[in-house]
Every structure is written in structure tokens, then in C-alpha cells.
Amino acid sequence: MRLLVTGGAGFIGSNFVHQTVRERPDVEVTVLDALTYAGDRASLAPVAEKVTFVEGDVADAELVDRLVADADVVVHFAAESHNDNSLSNPWPFVQTNVIGTYTLLEAVRRHGTRYHHISTDEVYGDLELDDPAKFTAETPYNPSSPYSSTKAASDLLVRAWVRSFGVQATLSNCSNNYGPFQHVEKFIPRQITNVIDGVRPKLYGTGENVRDWIHVEDHNSAVWAIIERGAIGETYLIGADGEENNKAVVELILELSGLPRDAYDHVSDRPGHDMRYAIDSSRLRTELGWEPHFTAFRDGLAATIEWYRANEAWWRPQKDATEAKYAQLGR
Ligand code: NAD
Ligand code: DAU
């Protein structure tokens, strides 16, 4: 199989490439990545010899057409992915997430190529803390932020290209990932690296907001299950029953780092901050036989802390610029 992975130098995409090279030696991997602030070739260094890397934009129609013509399957991870950035400057989100997806869809339509679209549970909006409901593929779209609305737009393009043009696509909407190679702007790596730097972790608002954490390896094993066994046109929700509120996550990072559990600060809240996400992944489990392996969040988080301690050379170059952006927001 010749596989084109967009966004393969980012957090989830690079882990996907590592997992693919490790477990599927017969797959030929090409990565297309624009190397924005969020992409880092160092994340692919251990597999550099086994992967073809192309630096370029998913909205570059000529380049995309050429790469798609040589692929059997496209997995589209590339995106602007951070909610806080989308609130400061939404345009790159519209350009990459909407126009980039459109560009890929037109190419896979022309070449009849199998396409898997990576999306987020944030397209469904949020749930109340005391609501017993979880998101399913039937939950109506109700995105809150510029980020999630552009991801929702991209999902709707995929569905329309399946129905109107017969594009061979599947979609997945996953909850919050954690694990190695995640940019230090994101919640868990930001707090881990703050602690390493002797800075108190920062909780937005009350810290009651709930995210449904899944280890990135489990997200990626689900993506492979969908590529291999998913039904064309179908949407699969990916989650591992990992609901935790932000306060509990910060307390656990502090405890696992040998510090008092209350050694954090509250900072101003994110505008429009979604309260709770929760995924019902039963379709993926019953129809495709997928199960997560990293079910003990405490162990997964401890291993992630260890990874950031051992790989300071990877994240250190990003840390000051990231904190300078947050300082401007007062967070
Ligand atoms: P990331 O920000 O870490 O990586 C994004 C990658 O895309 C980077 O390597 C970047 O250089 C590349 N990129 C950005 N714009 C590009 C463009 N125009 N052309 C080519 N490459 C471009 O993001 P991530 O957290 O790894 O997320 C990957 C995908 O998974 C996204 O589609 C995101 O919406 C989705 N997702 C993320 C999570 C999560 O918890 N992080 C959860 C569910 C879904
Ligand atoms: O649900 C899937 C989504 O998860 C993905 O689609 C996004 O790409 C990914 O970034 C993530 O979005 P969130 O906004 O949930 O992730 P983030 O890491 O930015 O924040 C997680 C929670 O932590 C959120 O409630 C905000 C809060 N937070 C974040 C930061 C950076 C803090 O309390 N303090 C912080 O310093």
C-alpha cells in the first residue's frame, strides 16, 4: 500500500507514521507537511530513512494532485489544531482546514483514491457536566470556536463529496489525545514543561471543564481499523472512556512530579470555553472490533511526563515563544 499522510510532522500524524513503520513494514509512507510552527521534522527523525518527506501545503492543488496520483490511500491529519490560536487569528484555520480539505477531496475524486478524514469531537459542541449523554455519530453539529467550526465545515465537505461524487471516504471524530511529540501549547505538555521549569501550572477558569482523554497510540490504532475495515461514507467516533476534569489532571501531574497537588494557579478563562466532551465509541468497538490499550490514565500520564523529561531537546526550542503568546493573552 502506498500511503499519503498529511500533517505527518505534527503530534498525532508523527505518532501515526511511527506506528505504521513499526507495525506495517509493507506500507510505503509519504508525508506531506507544511512545517508550520506546529510541525517538526525532528518528530520523524527516528523513521526518516523509511519515509518520503515532502514539505508543502495541502491547499497547493498542483502538488496535492501529483502526490495523490501516486497514492492508494490518503490519511488527512494536517490542520491548524489549537483553539486558543483560532480565537486570536481564525484565517489560517479557514485556509488550511477548509480549503486544504477541499483541495484533497478534489484530488481523491479525480484519482479515485481511498481517503480517511481525521476530525474532532469538538464539532458536536459541548455537554453539561451533569448530562448522562455522550456524543454519537448522530449528535447534531454545534461547534463553538473558529477551530471547531472549520473542522465541522471540512467534515461536511467530505460527506457531500461521498454522496455527490462517490468519493471513497471514511471519517473519524476523536476526543483529546495525549502522549509523546505533542506541542507545548497544548494543556498537558504545557503543564508538564511548566513543572519541569519550576513554573506553576495554569488552569483556565474554574478548572471544572472535562475532556475525554485518549492515548495517541489508541487513536492511531483506531484509524488503522477504520482504513482496513471501515464502511465507506461512515463516521466513527474514537474515544477510550477517559473523562477527567482539568483540575484533576493538573493535580495528578503535580503529584506524579513529587509536588503538592495544589501548587497551581487559576488564570482567566478561554472565551466560549467548551464545558465537557464525552465520546460513545461503541460503533467502533462492536462493528470494527477495536479496543484501546492505554486504559489507565495515571500510567499513560506518568509515561508522558517521563517522555518530556527525557526529550527536552525536542520541546525546548518551542517553549519560550509559546509562553510569550500566552503572556499576551494573560494566560
Ligand atoms: P498538530 O498541530 O500537532 O499538527 C498539525 C500538523 O499539520 C503540523 O505538522 C503542521 O505543520 C501541519 N500543517 C498545518 N497546516 C498545514 C498545511 N496547510 N499543509 C500541510 N501541513 C500543514 O495537530 P494534531 O494535534 O496532531 O492534530 C492532527 C489532526 O487531528 C487535526 O486534524 C486535528 O483536528 C485532529 N484531532 C486532534 C486531536 C487532539 O487532541 N490533538 C483530537 C481529535 C482530532
Ligand atoms: O477534543 C479534541 C480536541 O482536543 C482537538 O480537536 C484539538 O485539536 C485539541 O487541541 C484539543 O482541544 P482542547 O481545546 O480541548 O485542548 P487544549 O489542550 O487546548 O485544552 C484542554 C483543556 O485544558 C481545555 O479545557 C482548556 C484547558 N487549558 C488549556 C491550556 C493550554 C487550561 O486549563 N490551561 C492551559 O494552559
Side-chain angles (χ1 to χ4, degrees):
M1 179 194 288
R2 296 165 306 164
L3 182 69
L4 177 63
V5 181
T6 74
F11 163 46
I12 306 174
S14 64
N15 278 284
F16 181 79
V17 172
H18 285 268
Q19 192 180 106
T20 301
V21 167
R22 195 170 64 238
E23 294 174 3
R24 291 175 167 77
D26 49 334
V27 175
E28 283 175 33
V29 179
T30 299
V31 169
L32 170 62
D33 197 295
L35 295 180
T36 67
Y37 80 95
D40 190 345
R41 282 200 75 165
S43 306
L44 292 172
V47 290
E49 309 280 276
K50 303 201 165 133
V51 169
T52 304
F53 183 85
V54 179
E55 182 175 348
D57 192 330
V58 286
D60 177 341
E62 217 174 289
L63 173 64
V64 164
D65 189 77
R66 197 154 26 90
L67 294 173
V68 169
D70 281 339
D72 302 308
V73 179
V74 176
V75 191
H76 179 34
F77 288 95
E80 286 291 338
S81 70
H82 193 39
N83 276 298
D84 290 322
N85 292 343
S86 81
L87 295 162
S88 305
N89 182 17
W91 170 244
F93 290 75
V94 176
Q95 170 65 22
T96 288
N97 300 358
V98 183
I99 307 298
T101 299
Y102 161 80
T103 307
L104 280 159
L105 284 170
E106 284 292 83
V108 295
R109 177 187 167 197
R110 269 192 299 277
H111 295 285
T113 313
R114 173 81 170 84
Y115 173 87
H116 181 69
H117 186 70
I118 302 290
S119 193
T120 170
D121 59 357
E122 296 193 12
V123 299
Y124 301 113
D126 62 352
L127 300 161
E128 298 295 332
L129 290 181
D130 58 358
D131 188 342
K134 295 185 174 200
F135 298 137
T136 70
E138 283 67 47
T139 305
Y141 273 39
N142 186 27
S144 312
S145 73
Y147 163 67
S148 52
S149 60
T150 58
K151 292 298 292 186
S154 72
D155 292 11
L156 298 183
L157 292 178
V158 179
R159 290 179 183 198
W161 262 242
V162 170
R163 178 163 170 162
S164 300
F165 303 126
V167 161
Q168 300 289 294
T170 41
L171 301 92
S172 56
N173 296 78
C174 187
S175 59
N176 285 64
N177 287 218
Y178 73 100
F181 297 110
Q182 187 169 30
H183 195 281
V184 289
E185 70 189 354
K186 301 297 193 316
F187 178 52
I188 287 180
R190 183 181 186 207
Q191 313 313 337
I192 292 173
T193 54
N194 277 350
V195 166
I196 292 172
D197 281 349
V199 172
R200 288 163 72 89
K202 297 180 191 329
L203 262 186
Y204 291 177
T206 62
E208 285 175 300
N209 307 65
V210 170
R211 296 294 180 263
D212 190 351
W213 293 101
I214 180 171
H215 195 279
V216 64
E217 291 277 331
D218 284 331
H219 181 178
N220 285 331
S221 68
V223 170
W224 265 112
I226 298 165
I227 292 170
E228 290 178 334
R229 303 190 289 285
I232 296 303
E234 205 58 78
T235 293
Y236 297 90
L237 271 62
I238 306 175
D241 298 326
E243 282 187 70
E244 299 282 349
N245 76 31
N246 294 340
K247 185 166 166 286
V249 173
V250 159
E251 287 171 349
L252 189 53
I253 290 171
L254 286 161
E255 183 194 319
L256 290 168
S257 305
L259 293 166
R261 286 170 62 89
D262 62 355
Y264 60 83
D265 292 325
H266 290 276
V267 293
S268 65
D269 209 352
R270 171 186 284 172
H273 196 175
D274 281 339
M275 186 48 82
R276 171 174 163 249
Y277 307 139
I279 289 274
D280 174 352
S281 60
S282 49
R283 172 178 288 165
L284 184 64
R285 293 171 193 243
T286 54
E287 292 179 14
L288 303 190
W290 172 85
E291 289 295 334
H293 290 292
F294 294 81
T295 45
F297 180 65
R298 186 189 176 92
D299 295 347
L301 188 60
T304 304
I305 293 172
E306 200 37 58
W307 189 88
Y308 280 88
R309 288 195 176 279
N311 290 278
E312 184 168 340
W314 178 83
W315 58 263
R316 177 60 69 192
Q318 309 288 344
K319 183 67 178 167
D320 286 351
T322 302
E323 289 305 320
K325 268 200 231 173
Y326 279 123
Q328 279 185 341
L329 298 171
R331 293 206 284 271

